[in-house]
Amino acid sequence: MTMDRRSVLGLGGVLAAGVILAPGLRLIAAPEDVTEASDKRRWGMLIDTTQCNPACTACTQACRTENNVPLTGDPERDIHWIRKVELHSKDGGKPDRSLPVLCNHCEHPPCVHVCPTQASFIRKDGIVLVDMHRCIGCRYCMIACPYKARSLVYSTPSIPGTPNRKVPMRAKGVVEKCTFCVHRIDDGGQPACVEACQKEAKGGMLFGDLNDPQSEISQRLRQVLSTTIRPDLGLKPRVHYQGI
Amino acid sequence: MSSRRSLAVRMSVGLLLAMLLVLVGGFPGNLGADPPQPEKPKGGQCVRPAEWMRHNHMDFLKHNRTVAVREGKRVRSESLQKCAECHTSRERFCDRCHDYVAVEPDCFDCHIYPK
């Protein structure tokens, strides 16, 4: 059997590619062993309320499963990291807009300023977090937050049947809130609500780096008319809304 | 008078005997308890030498958690998720010693031990 020059070269190329790819053959890259939050990034969200269906609970459900936030059955003490809010017109008409409200991860978060134990803090990449190891459950932050984004754990939570083992439960007597799914972000992923909205709903939620002018969210923020909730408070929230 | 004194002597002798009984009967049981042996890990090498870990794992874990939570620095090969790959059972590894020395770390009030 004879081979012409081209097929020999081609075969060589395929073999070489095989040798290079085979040892580390992985379709989805695993995160590196050591990663660190970078102060060059500012995570933010843009929510297109025109795409938000009042009956849809994809984002809130996804959040509950991802972060082990079960409903307690007592509406006054239920924990919400993200909740659906209906907008009424000022003349008391029917609600005409529905939108999810979550922690706004403000640039100047009042919850962090009032925290007496420094349990609430701003991470380098702008995410506002609660260090559960330090929280004493005084609830100053809940009073300070204008977005009602925080909840107190009133009783020892029941662990869901198939918990997400990557996210710890919270003990009785701490305050908890949305983390922007920090464990997913650190692995290069997206928050669970955003992923669910894109998969199960119309994809009205967009998440990305506000510091990167080339990121999709930065480009969209330049193109569309958007606002934040209560911009007059001067907290500079990083959750932006389009269509309200 | 003498009968009262003899009663006091008899009572104190009885008390002493009772205490001796408790001491003799109670002590050997406690002395016989050997330190517990935690389950042998499945994998090969730990992230730090075993002897070092025996003394310092609490500070090591606490340091790692602070760095992970507050600075966002995640060392995946040294995460709690990884511990469980070798130390497969919390009950047979962590709890055995903790129960013996009567310490109650509250890690697992919240953290779900990985499977």
Side-chain angles (χ1 to χ4, degrees):
Chain A
M1 191 184 110
T2 56
M3 289 172 97
D4 62 0
R5 186 183 162 86
R6 181 172 288 179
S7 59
V8 170
L9 279 176
L11 192 68
V14 167
L15 279 173
V19 167
I20 293 165
L21 280 177
L25 191 64
R26 257 203 158 119
L27 291 177
I28 302 163
E32 287 172 39
D33 184 36
V34 183
T35 53
E36 194 165 354
S38 159
D39 54 4
K40 296 199 170 55
R41 290 191 157 155
R42 281 294 176 277
W43 299 113
M45 200 180 272
L46 174 62
I47 296 168
D48 184 355
T49 57
T50 58
Q51 304 294 312
C52 192
N53 180 356
C56 174
T57 54
C59 54
T60 54
Q61 284 306 321
C63 177
R64 288 192 184 282
T65 340
E66 176 70 23
N67 294 301
N68 303 326
V69 192
L71 285 166
T72 56
D74 179 354
E76 286 193 0
R77 293 183 171 185
D78 265 339
I79 293 158
H80 304 279
W81 287 24
I82 177 170
R83 63 190 200 276
K84 290 291 289 285
V85 168
E86 285 184 339
L87 289 191
H88 297 252
S89 58
K90 278 191 176 161
D91 54 18
K94 273 189 174 176
D96 63 343
R97 210 44 67 77
S98 163
L99 49 100
V101 175
L102 63 158
C103 172
N104 279 249
H105 296 274
C106 311
E107 194 177 325
H108 307 296
C111 52
V112 171
H113 291 263
V114 299
C115 181
T117 60
Q118 292 171 24
S120 287
F121 65 101
I122 316 173
R123 214 169 76 141
K124 278 186 204 158
D125 50 6
I127 301 178
V128 177
L129 290 175
V130 187
D131 185 347
M132 302 302 175
H133 308 105
R134 296 185 75 140
C135 179
I136 55 169
C138 73
R139 289 172 271 176
Y140 283 11
C141 54
M142 287 173 68
I143 298 162
C145 176
Y147 304 108
K148 277 195 186 174
R150 291 173 168 242
S151 317
L152 177 80
V153 185
Y154 272 97
S155 49
T156 305
S158 55
I159 299 174
T162 48
N164 179 6
R165 287 173 188 273
K166 284 196 166 177
V167 181
M169 301 295 299
R170 278 74 51 186
K172 178 171 126 182
V174 297
V175 170
E176 62 180 57
K177 67 167 197 74
C178 157
T179 63
F180 261 174
C181 283
V182 71
H183 57 287
R184 282 166 154 253
I185 297 174
D186 286 348
D187 284 352
Q190 299 247 322
C193 54
V194 176
E195 207 175 279
C197 188
Q198 282 162 2
K199 275 186 190 158
E200 299 163 32
K202 293 180 185 169
M205 296 173 94
L206 182 63
F207 178 84
D209 182 7
L210 300 172
N211 264 6
D212 174 10
Q214 300 307 316
S215 67
E216 197 185 342
I217 187 168
S218 298
Q219 292 182 5
R220 277 270 293 280
L221 279 170
R222 284 197 296 271
Q223 289 160 6
V224 300
L225 197 63
S226 68
T227 183
T228 55
I229 310 179
R230 294 295 305 271
D232 55 311
L233 294 172
L235 307 174
K236 296 197 178 168
R238 295 208 182 88
V239 177
H240 299 260
Y241 290 89
Q242 177 186 344
I244 54 169
Chain B
M1 191 72 194
S2 66
S3 70
R4 192 181 281 177
R5 183 178 289 171
S6 68
L7 185 72
V9 169
R10 258 188 284 162
M11 271 177 77
S12 47
V13 166
L15 240 150
L16 268 169
L17 271 172
M19 280 166 76
L20 209 76
L21 245 163
V22 168
L23 281 173
V24 171
F27 249 80
N30 283 349
L31 283 172
D34 289 327
Q37 294 301 314
E39 190 179 54
K40 290 260 182 241
K42 270 189 181 165
Q45 189 61 47
C46 194
V47 290
R48 296 284 184 282
E51 185 57 32
W52 187 88
M53 271 304 217
R54 234 161 263 152
H55 294 283
N56 300 306
H57 64 278
M58 56 301 268
D59 297 327
F60 180 68
L61 286 171
K62 211 167 185 176
H63 175 78
N64 279 11
R65 113 186 164 194
T66 307
V67 169
V69 173
R70 299 194 79 93
E71 290 164 32
K73 185 179 178 183
R74 293 183 191 265
V75 184
R76 289 176 179 76
S77 55
E78 293 178 0
S79 72
L80 201 58
Q81 308 280 328
K82 278 279 173 189
C83 296
E85 285 182 11
C86 299
H87 307 291
T88 48
S89 164
R90 175 164 74 85
E91 287 76 21
R92 293 195 297 276
F93 186 72
C94 315
D95 290 354
R96 266 188 197 170
C97 284
H98 291 160
D99 288 347
Y100 180 72
V101 294
V103 291
E104 289 178 29
D106 51 9
C107 311
F108 301 106
D109 289 0
C110 297
H111 291 268
I112 308 165
Y113 201 76
K115 260 182 190 165

